[in-house]
Amino acid sequence: MTLASAAPKSTMQRFLDGVEKVGNMVPHPVIIFLILIGIVIALSAVLSLFGTAVTFERINPETHEIEIASTAIRSLLNVEGIRFMYASLIPNFMGFTAVGLMIVAMIGAGVAEESGLVTALIRKLVIVSPGWALTYILAFVGILASIAADAGYLVLIPLAGIAYLAVGRHPLAGLALGFAAVAGAFTVNMLIKPLDAVLVEFTNDAAHLVDPNRSIGLASNVWFSFASVLFLTVIIAFITDRIVSPRLGPYNPALAAEGTTTEQGAVLSSEESRGLRYAGLGLLALIAVFSLLTVPSWAPLRDPTTGDLIGNSPFMNGLIALIMLMFLVTGWAYGIGAGTMRTLTEVIAAIEKSIKNLGGTIFLFFVLSQFVAYFTYTNMGTVMALSLSGVLQSANIGALPLLLGFIVVVAIIDLLLTGAIAKWAIFAPVFVPLLMKLGVEPEAVLAAYRVGDSPMNAITPLNAYFALVVGFAQKYDKSAGVGTVVSLMLPYVLWMFVLWTALFAIWKMLGLPWGV
């Protein structure tokens, strides 16, 4: 990747350039994960031979009761391991939810992009937004995109790149901004989302070990989350404008991969304006339909038992379908209004084109799904997490240092185990009771977990969507690779982790309420 800048580079910029250069020397991501699979297979056999194991308390995901469990390293080179690798090849891939989410989201996104709706919307946003506010708007919307679970990766990140391109800024800076917002702040939001329900339930199960009458609610971290969203919006925007964009310099369209559109008009044509009006009408019609499906107490998309709309309801569990339909309906409506996509045949062609472009990514996900499955099967991540938490638990330190140490441990483990729910099922029964005995409320422990679990998502290659972001980057710079993305995201990860942890510490010391 060629980085142009007239001013002398700072020490940080030279360091990041070095990270990028070294990172881009590594092989293709598929080759990397094939090597990692070989390492996991060999290491599992060695550790299993030495009988590596740990005993711990955990929350049973089905019964939500605390149980004593023992986890040992499982070998992939014994009879059971070889059977697992042979028989689970297809189940591993089919169970990799990122693939299904990506394909479904691209059904709608492909229509929206091919019809011209995405470009027109971004240009409209650029026209109506003050230049200084665009970065903050994208960062804020990116953080809120976690309400749609993983769909934010597939929608907001590429849109941020297009938006930056439309205003003459480097599109890789937009991609980095979007990735930092969606991944680096994934556990906080201004809205209650399905993840909150699971985390709170596990927290209550752990708290009952100390006090059976002590429970927290879904909004137990709402004030801290509100503050975190605004705080992280400013941090992400500041890093983008002051560190990432200056390092990248002006964008050279010649770097783009073949077929990538790099020219954007400054003013919307009458056809484009009419298309946006049609898209707005299509969106209103979709909202009307979903209002009937969600608002009434008898609505089919509400929880059949509790009647709740937010939480573990059909509406929230199937939110990717709404995202897909939103782009599909508005994209086609825009195409009809703008004259770019009138027939159903053209819509189908746009969907086929978007799915064809995912070929390389789907193959990468196939290899990645095998690595994740093998790594999970061996229990190496669990053993490491429990070993680190055991060291921290036995440390004779105060409540706040223990909370800060807990944040660091969660961040380290997040490089290997990216699932927020799986880690909390392990950590909750250890740290919630321990800290409650030191006078720390369970709300604070959960807030600490949110801080530790998020920033590293933007830098670990084990994030299922990391490779997808590399693919997005290669559209605008065909020489971009893993090192490019890592060097772009390092400033975000470091500053978000340090400053967000500082916000947590100040919040705790001031005794501010964590939520309702």
Side-chain angles (χ1 to χ4, degrees):
M1 186 174 105
T2 301
L3 301 178
S5 179
K9 294 184 177 181
S10 65
T11 302
M12 175 60 74
Q13 289 174 331
R14 290 195 299 270
F15 169 74
L16 294 176
D17 288 349
V19 170
E20 178 181 4
K21 183 177 180 180
V22 173
N24 285 343
M25 291 172 62
V26 302
H28 190 283
V30 170
I31 299 176
I32 294 174
F33 281 107
L34 288 175
I35 294 173
L36 289 174
I37 287 174
I39 293 174
V40 167
I41 292 174
L43 194 57
S44 70
V46 173
L47 295 177
S48 176
L49 186 63
F50 284 96
T52 307
V54 291
T55 301
F56 62 101
E57 290 183 339
R58 71 175 182 182
I59 300 174
N60 187 306
E62 297 180 357
T63 64
H64 297 287
E65 295 179 352
I66 304 299
E67 59 184 17
I68 303 297
S70 178
T71 296
I73 299 295
R74 302 170 69 184
S75 174
L76 285 165
L77 288 181
N78 57 19
V79 174
E80 290 78 10
I82 293 173
R83 286 173 179 168
F84 171 78
M85 289 190 290
Y86 179 79
S88 67
L89 192 70
I90 300 303
N92 292 342
F93 181 55
M94 298 303 293
F96 201 58
T97 56
V99 177
L101 284 169
M102 178 180 65
I103 293 176
V104 171
M106 290 306 296
I107 290 175
V111 174
E113 182 176 2
E114 192 68 16
S115 68
L117 171 63
V118 173
T119 301
L121 275 175
I122 293 297
R123 287 164 57 202
K124 184 70 173 179
L125 174 64
V126 171
I127 291 171
V128 301
S129 300
W132 64 268
L134 181 62
T135 300
Y136 292 87
I137 292 172
L138 290 172
F140 180 71
V141 174
I143 295 174
L144 296 187
S146 64
I147 188 67
D150 293 349
Y153 288 97
L154 304 168
V155 177
L156 192 281
I157 296 175
L159 289 186
I162 296 173
Y164 261 47
L165 182 64
V167 296
R169 300 182 65 177
H170 206 299
L172 292 189
L175 292 178
L177 180 157
F179 193 21
V182 174
F186 189 78
T187 53
V188 291
N189 206 296
M190 287 186 168
L191 303 170
I192 303 298
K193 55 184 182 178
L195 176 65
D196 295 318
V198 180
L199 297 181
V200 166
E201 191 167 10
F202 281 6
T203 305
N204 285 333
D205 291 337
H208 293 162
L209 291 173
V210 177
D211 183 355
N213 298 317
R214 183 70 167 92
S215 297
I216 64 175
L218 283 175
S220 58
N221 280 165
V222 67
W223 303 133
F224 181 71
S225 291
F226 260 73
S228 295
V229 169
L230 299 177
F231 184 68
L232 294 175
T233 295
V234 175
I235 292 175
I236 292 170
F238 182 85
I239 293 172
T240 304
D241 290 339
R242 298 300 180 90
I243 299 177
V244 176
S245 290
R247 173 174 171 257
L248 289 169
Y251 178 58
N252 180 8
L255 297 174
E258 184 178 354
T260 300
T261 301
T262 58
E263 297 295 332
Q264 304 289 340
V267 180
L268 293 177
S269 66
S270 58
E271 291 81 6
E272 290 172 321
S273 297
R274 183 172 62 249
L276 288 178
R277 290 195 297 272
Y278 276 47
L281 293 174
L283 180 60
L284 289 175
L286 188 66
I287 291 174
V289 171
F290 270 83
S291 295
L292 291 175
L293 295 174
T294 57
V295 173
S297 58
W298 45 263
L301 295 186
R302 287 182 173 272
D303 189 304
T305 303
T306 65
D308 293 338
L309 181 62
I310 305 299
N312 189 28
S313 67
F315 174 72
M316 295 303 296
N317 291 337
L319 201 56
I320 188 65
L322 175 59
I323 300 294
M324 183 268 289
L325 288 172
M326 181 179 67
F327 281 100
L328 181 64
V329 170
T330 56
W332 192 4
Y334 174 88
I336 294 173
T340 59
M341 186 180 294
R342 297 183 181 277
T343 67
L344 183 58
T345 300
E346 292 175 310
V347 173
I348 295 174
I351 296 173
E352 291 176 343
K353 180 180 178 180
S354 66
I355 300 300
K356 287 178 183 177
N357 292 336
L358 296 176
T361 303
I362 291 175
F363 175 61
L364 175 59
F365 278 7
F366 171 77
V367 177
L368 178 58
S369 68
Q370 306 308 315
F371 170 76
V372 172
Y374 296 170
F375 189 75
T376 302
Y377 175 88
T378 62
N379 293 324
M380 285 194 288
T382 302
V383 170
M384 181 178 177
L386 290 168
S387 299
L388 284 175
S389 64
V391 171
L392 189 61
Q393 183 181 6
S394 60
N396 187 21
I397 57 179
L400 181 57
L402 185 57
L403 280 168
L404 298 180
F406 172 59
I407 292 174
V408 173
V409 168
V410 173
I412 293 173
I413 296 302
D414 195 50
L415 291 171
L416 299 174
L417 297 176
T418 58
I421 294 175
K423 287 197 301 293
W424 191 229
I426 296 172
F427 283 130
V430 175
F431 286 100
V432 172
L434 172 65
L435 286 159
M436 284 181 67
K437 293 175 182 178
L438 295 176
V440 178
E441 57 276 349
E443 294 93 329
V445 188
L446 179 56
Y449 180 72
R450 295 180 190 275
V451 175
D453 183 64
S454 292
M456 296 300 174
N457 291 333
I459 203 172
T460 172
L462 296 187
N463 182 338
Y465 295 101
F466 185 90
L468 191 65
V469 176
V470 175
F472 290 150
Q474 289 172 341
K475 290 179 58 179
Y476 300 110
D477 186 342
K478 51 183 176 290
S479 65
V482 172
T484 304
V485 176
V486 170
S487 66
L488 288 173
M489 302 314 301
L490 261 178
Y492 293 104
V493 171
L494 294 175
W495 285 109
M496 288 175 68
F497 180 75
V498 171
L499 297 179
W500 197 6
T501 301
L503 174 66
F504 172 86
I506 293 171
W507 198 285
K508 173 62 179 172
M509 288 187 292
L510 294 178
L512 299 176
W514 300 100
V516 179

